[in-house]
Amino acid sequence: EAGVAQSPRYKIIEKRQSVAFWCNPISGHATLYWYQQILGQGPKLLIQFQNNGVVDDSQLPKDRFSAERLKGVDSTLKIQPAKLEDSAVYLCASSLDTSTDTQYFGPGTRLTVL
Amino acid sequence: AQKVTQAQTEISVVEKEDVTLDCVYETRDTTYYLFWYKQPPSGELVFLIRRNSFDEQNEISGRYSWNFQKSTSSFNFTITASQVVDSAVYFCALSEEGERQLTFGSGTQLTVLP
């Protein structure tokens, strides 16, 4: 069974530029998560989708971050404009249903903002 | 609010030594789930175990074992006869039945020296 796919794996941009990350969850998983992991810390949830609806986006900096999951499968996370402090690994995860189910993670996208 | 503490920031052992990674959690719920993930240098979070709050039996999987003690709110992870490939950051995480998100500890960097 294919795991969670993410692209790109690495991205380097200058501050104030925009960037987008893509995620394809495990087939059949209703719930999709985006996490931000700053170096030396545990992952922090940015947004959670169940099918194509947002369940929790309380920690998403909505002035610059946006995410969508239009058809309830793939998802895109965008940052516009990027700041230096956005340098981090962006992890996508999926689970069968709720957050108490096991979440399976993709390889992540390492973003460097110069 | 849920909280996970991994007090050991870094641990270094020599190959074949046993090592225990500590995890202490805080929750007000009676129903919750505990997880351990491994994050090797490649960056992907690899699921190791999920345990619900009603199952206090210790678990063994090969060289890995987990000790869940509700009395001390701990869910410790032991690697027996460690190997160089065990070198990674290990995260403990908690999800409450009523909460939507998975809360991670800050992780323990384990280095196994040859």
Side-chain angles (χ1 to χ4, degrees), chain B residues 12-57:
Chain B
S12 210
V13 298
V14 177
E15 208 170 18
K16 296 183 185 172
E17 285 186 356
D18 298 347
V19 59
T20 295
L21 310 181
D22 297 334
C23 173
V24 174
Y25 61 91
E26 294 177 30
T27 177
R28 287 177 289 190
D29 263 18
T30 54
T31 304
Y32 52 90
Y33 298 81
L34 294 162
F35 302 80
W36 276 94
Y37 285 88
K38 174 182 179 180
Q39 189 172 42
S42 60
E44 184 168 349
L45 275 162
V46 178
F47 166 72
L48 296 178
I49 189 170
R50 172 180 182 263
R51 176 53 53 90
N52 76 57
S53 53
F54 298 109
D55 182 2
E56 281 194 78
Q57 277 197 327

Side-chain angles (χ1 to χ4, degrees), chain A residues 30-46:
Chain A
T31 307
L32 184 148
Y33 314 79
W34 283 102
Y35 288 86
Q36 180 192 58
Q37 186 178 20
I38 291 171
L39 189 64
Q41 299 180 17
K44 183 189 84 171
L45 180 70
L46 291 175

Side-chain angles (χ1 to χ4, degrees), chain A residues 58-78:
Chain A
S58 57
Q59 298 186 84
L60 187 74
K62 297 181 189 63
D63 57 333
R64 297 183 301 104
F65 286 64
S66 63
E68 58 184 15
R69 193 185 184 198
L70 290 174
K71 295 182 180 178
V73 181
D74 293 9
S75 176
T76 303
L77 175 70
K78 294 180 182 176

Side-chain angles (χ1 to χ4, degrees), chain A:
Chain A
E1 180 182 284
V4 176
Q6 287 188 250
S7 68
R9 290 297 311 278
Y10 304 92
K11 190 75 178 177
I12 300 174
I13 61 173
E14 305 220 335
K15 60 183 179 184
R16 291 188 287 273
Q17 285 188 323
S18 63
V19 64
F21 312 127
W22 173 82
C23 173
N24 182 245
I26 292 173
S27 177
H29 280 194
T31 307
L32 184 148
Y33 314 79
W34 283 102
Y35 288 86
Q36 180 192 58
Q37 186 178 20
I38 291 171
L39 189 64
Q41 299 180 17
K44 183 189 84 171
L45 180 70
L46 291 175
I47 188 167
Q48 177 182 345
F49 293 94
Q50 187 152 18
N51 297 308
N52 59 352
V54 175
V55 173
D56 184 355
D57 64 357
S58 57
Q59 298 186 84
L60 187 74
K62 297 181 189 63
D63 57 333
R64 297 183 301 104
F65 286 64
S66 63
E68 58 184 15
R69 193 185 184 198
L70 290 174
K71 295 182 180 178
V73 181
D74 293 9
S75 176
T76 303
L77 175 70
K78 294 180 182 176
I79 307 175
Q80 183 179 10
K83 291 186 175 181
L84 296 177
E85 59 260 36
D86 297 332
S87 294
V89 176
Y90 291 85
L91 294 162
C92 180
S94 69
S95 68
L96 270 175
D97 189 11
T98 69
S99 60
T100 54
D101 293 327
T102 299
Q103 295 183 28
Y104 296 92
F105 286 79
T109 297
R110 184 177 296 277
L111 174 68
T112 302
V113 182
L114 303 174

Side-chain angles (χ1 to χ4, degrees), chain B:
Chain B
Q2 51 192 40
K3 184 179 176 182
V4 177
T5 301
Q6 294 181 256
Q8 303 151 309
T9 306
E10 294 181 29
I11 299 177
S12 210
V13 298
V14 177
E15 208 170 18
K16 296 183 185 172
E17 285 186 356
D18 298 347
V19 59
T20 295
L21 310 181
D22 297 334
C23 173
V24 174
Y25 61 91
E26 294 177 30
T27 177
R28 287 177 289 190
D29 263 18
T30 54
T31 304
Y32 52 90
Y33 298 81
L34 294 162
F35 302 80
W36 276 94
Y37 285 88
K38 174 182 179 180
Q39 189 172 42
S42 60
E44 184 168 349
L45 275 162
V46 178
F47 166 72
L48 296 178
I49 189 170
R50 172 180 182 263
R51 176 53 53 90
N52 76 57
S53 53
F54 298 109
D55 182 2
E56 281 194 78
Q57 277 197 327
N58 290 334
E59 174 113 3
I60 298 175
S61 176
R63 296 183 297 107
Y64 295 171
S65 62
W66 289 269
N67 184 339
F68 177 26
Q69 293 199 343
K70 288 175 78 169
S71 60
T72 55
S73 297
S74 65
F75 187 43
N76 296 338
F77 173 33
T78 297
I79 302 174
T80 303
S82 60
Q83 300 176 0
V84 172
V85 293
D86 296 328
S87 297
V89 180
Y90 290 86
F91 289 96
C92 180
L94 165 70
S95 183
E96 295 174 340
E97 186 73 14
E99 288 282 335
R100 293 198 177 104
Q101 62 177 286
L102 186 60
T103 298
F104 285 84
S106 54
T108 297
Q109 169 73 60
L110 173 66
T111 302
V112 181
L113 303 168

